[in-house]
Amino acid sequence: MIQTVRGTRDILPADMPLWHRVEDVAREGFRRYGFQEIRTPIFEKTELFARGVGEATDIVHKEMYTFIDRGREDREGESLTLRPENTASVVRSYIQHRMYADKSSGESTKLFYTGPMFRRERPQAGRYRQFYQIGVEVLGTSDDPAIEAEVIEMLDWFLKELKIPNTTLLINSVGEPATRAVYLEQLRRAIEPHLDELCGDCRHRFETNPLRVFDCKVESCQKIILTLPTITDSLDDGSREHFEQFKAHLDARGIAYTINPRMVRGLDYYTKTAFEIVAHDGLGAQNTIVGGGRYDGLSETLGGPPTKGFGFAFGLDRMVMALPEEEAELLRAADAPDIYIVFLGQGARNHALMVAKELRSAGLAVGMEFEDRKMKKAMTQAAKSKARYALIIGDDEVTSGRYGLKDLTTGEQEALSLAGIAEKLK
Ligand code: AMP
């Protein structure tokens, strides 16, 4: 038997109502906060991610699904990659379509996306090789910290609306590239004496980008990480002031946060503000549900005009896992048909098919089997469908034009015309 590839999975119908709920709430938030949807291709030129995400990141260094496309007679095939994240693609699109061209000064382009991403990570609960993200990007000429706080305010609304309990917002500033270079030297000097004690990955990070050492989850490395100087201690004045204003905007909105000076995020493009949201219930070790930050300068790296950028991505897989069980049950129950038609005898069947058509035209979700069954069996089927009502159609109902509508929760039954039923269930 052929099964799914390691690290991938089928999202089955029973879980779809939860996925739809998260997607619907996100879309409603995007509508309220003025974000428009963008869809970029699932594969792009490898160079986009190499430059955009950064050669030294784990993602580019060891997690990308990269392949050489078929060439043509006169040309070699080019290197393509299944997108490991969507920010680089959205910024590419922003540049390619000159979305900045018709904007007045200070006006932002606010985009959102949803779709699958691909990373060859070690699979575990909440970590997949194909996973789904919903994210936003605010692009333009302004790096106002109020933009950041407003985006986080929207996330705060999502979490409340989805009734996700017990989350922590972690924030940090990773400064400007110029000051970071000075700090990186300082960090290298601090790491060097411990090189023998660090894992292989950390030794590689030490060579390519020592900041990434902070991402390491290996316990023996964690002990050393705690002794290292943090970037927050050597911020430039501009970044420090920006961070202060960002915090003040959060305070004004009553949004609680924890400053984590060791949170540097797994991508190279971040400048100044970085943040994560962690969920404490329903998830195991992989409990970061949202990650984001500022990435001024990414556009320039990709050959575009000077652009400020701020955004986040949340993991849809993890957001669904974080939904409280009672909420999940309600969502699953609401997915049932409004009404389930039970017919008795071949004569009633044709009539029942027309009744189903009419009720569906009136906007109701109608369940019905095609096979003639005994009353008891048919009622069991109605109960199994989780429909709120069963509609019973036998020869008498066909002649009278009034049908037995049975409330499957209370067991009460009343005789109604089709119009009466449509009216009652509206
Ligand atoms: P990142 O793009 O790494 O900042 O990740 C943003 C969010 O995407 C994380 O907080 C997770 O919720 C989700 N995510 C990232 N990688 C995975 C994965 N391999 N499996 C499931 N969700 C993921």
Side-chain angles (χ1 to χ4, degrees), residues 359 401-403 415-423:
L359 292 176
R402 290 176 81 80
Y403 308 89
L416 289 171
S417 67
L418 277 192
I421 292 167
E423 188 55 39

Side-chain angles (χ1 to χ4, degrees), residues 119 121 126-128 131 133 265 288-291 313 315 318:
R119 293 183 197 170
E121 294 189 88
R127 189 161 70 194
Y128 308 98
F131 58 98
Q133 284 186 336
R265 314 268 309 111
T288 306
I289 48 176
V290 190
R318 291 186 198 170

Side-chain angles (χ1 to χ4, degrees), residues 22 62 85 90 96 109 119 147 191 201 227 241 274 296 318 343 404:
V22 175
K62 56 181 194 188
E85 58 99 55
V90 170
Q96 186 172 337
T109 302
R119 293 183 197 170
I147 295 174
I191 296 174
D201 277 342
T227 68
E241 175 56 25
D296 302 344
R318 291 186 198 170
F343 62 90

Side-chain angles (χ1 to χ4, degrees), residues 59 63 84-87 113 117-122 124 126-134 265-267 269-270 275-277 286-292 312-319:
I59 293 178
E63 295 171 0
E85 58 99 55
N86 212 189
T87 301
Y113 60 81
M117 309 293 155
F118 306 85
R119 293 183 197 170
R120 203 172 183 293
E121 294 189 88
R122 197 169 49 75
Q124 64 182 90
R127 189 161 70 194
Y128 308 98
R129 290 180 170 180
Q130 172 171 336
F131 58 98
Y132 295 80
Q133 284 186 336
I134 294 186
R265 314 268 309 111
L267 306 101
Y269 49 59
Y270 286 112
F275 75 97
E276 287 185 349
I277 298 178
Q286 299 302 319
N287 62 354
T288 306
I289 48 176
V290 190
F312 70 75
F314 74 72
L316 202 39
D317 309 69
R318 291 186 198 170
M319 203 63 100

Side-chain angles (χ1 to χ4, degrees), residues 52-340:
V53 180
E55 297 272 11
T57 59
D58 279 359
I59 293 178
V60 172
H61 170 62
K62 56 181 194 188
E63 295 171 0
M64 292 207 302
Y65 283 97
T66 296
F67 59 98
I68 302 294
D69 198 9
R70 272 172 223 266
R72 288 202 310 240
E73 276 160 32
D74 54 339
R75 242 207 281 155
E76 259 184 62
E78 58 185 338
S79 178
L80 304 178
T81 293
L82 299 185
R83 61 181 184 197
E85 58 99 55
N86 212 189
T87 301
S89 307
V90 170
V91 174
R92 179 212 31 79
S93 180
Y94 175 81
I95 301 166
Q96 186 172 337
H97 300 282
R98 300 172 52 82
M99 291 183 204
Y100 46 86
D102 59 348
K103 299 280 169 180
S104 50
S105 147
E107 197 185 342
S108 303
T109 302
K110 297 167 80 174
L111 302 168
F112 82 86
Y113 60 81
T114 116
M117 309 293 155
F118 306 85
R119 293 183 197 170
R120 203 172 183 293
E121 294 189 88
R122 197 169 49 75
Q124 64 182 90
R127 189 161 70 194
Y128 308 98
R129 290 180 170 180
Q130 172 171 336
F131 58 98
Y132 295 80
Q133 284 186 336
I134 294 186
V136 309
E137 316 295 350
V138 183
L139 297 157
T141 51
S142 167
D143 67 349
D144 195 326
I147 295 174
E148 303 165 7
E150 189 178 85
V151 165
I152 290 175
E153 174 193 304
M154 177 172 74
L155 277 168
D156 193 54
W157 179 81
F158 284 170
L159 296 174
K160 288 200 178 94
E161 193 70 11
L162 290 171
K163 305 200 171 69
I164 293 181
N166 221 349
T167 58
T168 307
L169 167 65
L170 301 170
I171 61 168
N172 190 21
S173 176
V174 296
E176 294 268 20
T179 34
R180 193 147 42 176
V182 179
Y183 163 72
L184 286 181
E185 258 327 295
Q186 198 190 339
L187 183 61
R188 257 204 196 89
R189 281 199 300 276
I191 296 174
E192 204 158 18
H194 301 285
L195 267 186
D196 295 349
E197 305 151 63
L198 291 171
C199 72
D201 277 342
C202 279
R203 285 203 292 272
H204 174 84
R205 291 170 182 135
F206 172 77
E207 299 294 340
T208 52
N209 184 351
L211 204 55
R212 297 274 78 84
V213 168
F214 287 107
D215 298 335
C216 189
K217 300 280 183 288
V218 176
E219 213 171 296
S220 50
C221 295
Q222 277 295 326
K223 283 196 203 110
I224 296 161
I225 288 169
L226 287 176
T227 68
L228 300 174
T230 67
I231 194 155
T232 327
D233 295 329
S234 47
L235 284 186
D236 55 285
D237 291 344
S239 296
R240 196 181 300 281
E241 175 56 25
H242 186 99
F243 196 49
E244 288 308 317
Q245 286 183 29
F246 167 57
K247 286 187 291 182
H249 280 293
L250 291 179
D251 292 336
R253 287 168 173 75
I255 297 173
Y257 53 83
T258 305
I259 300 169
N260 179 355
R262 289 184 181 79
M263 182 191 64
V264 291
R265 314 268 309 111
L267 306 101
D268 265 0
Y269 49 59
Y270 286 112
T271 55
K272 295 182 179 161
T273 310
F275 75 97
E276 287 185 349
I277 298 178
V278 174
H280 302 285
D281 298 346
L283 291 163
Q286 299 302 319
N287 62 354
T288 306
I289 48 176
V290 190
R294 174 162 290 290
Y295 50 85
D296 302 344
L298 176 58
S299 164
E300 291 93 310
T301 307
L302 298 177
T307 305
K308 314 287 187 190
F310 182 79
F312 70 75
F314 74 72
L316 202 39
D317 309 69
R318 291 186 198 170
M319 203 63 100
V320 165
M321 289 165 81
L323 289 172
E325 197 44 49
E326 319 83 72
E327 194 61 13
E329 280 314 310
L330 288 176
L331 291 167
R332 288 198 177 96
D335 195 43
D338 299 310
I339 201 164
Y340 189 93

